[in-house]
Amino acid sequence: MSSKLLGHVWDLDLPDSTTKLILLRLADNANDETGECFPSLAYLQDKCSIKSKTTIRLALTKYKIRIYFGH
């Protein structure tokens, strides 16, 4: 967990709560030193209680967060 990144996300003025929730989950999973995290879309769906992978993809691409789809 990266408390530094969590603090930054909490301070963001975002237009919707879904995006903030997704970013908070990513920050919570991020490496403290590198800021990298690699959760799956299924993991984000489960932890954020979001039914649509498209919703997550749109929120991430809107803020130019790179996502990689693995197997």
Side-chain angles (χ1 to χ4, degrees):
M1 166 179 49
S2 176
S3 55
K4 180 180 177 181
L5 286 176
L6 280 169
H8 286 302
V9 174
W10 278 117
D11 292 340
L12 291 174
D13 184 23
L14 298 170
D16 62 271
S17 59
T18 301
T19 301
K20 185 167 267 193
L21 179 61
I22 294 167
L23 293 177
L24 285 167
R25 176 48 66 185
L26 290 172
D28 191 47
N29 283 272
N31 179 298
D32 280 331
E33 294 177 18
T34 66
E36 294 177 323
C37 62
F38 303 98
S40 68
L41 286 175
Y43 175 83
L44 290 173
Q45 277 183 282
D46 180 54
K47 295 299 179 183
C48 297
S49 300
I50 297 172
K51 295 181 186 199
S52 169
K53 288 181 182 178
T54 302
T55 300
I56 295 169
R57 285 186 185 115
L58 289 173
L60 297 177
T61 56
K62 186 186 326 182
Y63 292 96
K64 298 181 181 167
I65 296 170
R66 292 181 302 214
I67 53 177
Y68 300 94
F69 301 100
H71 299 288

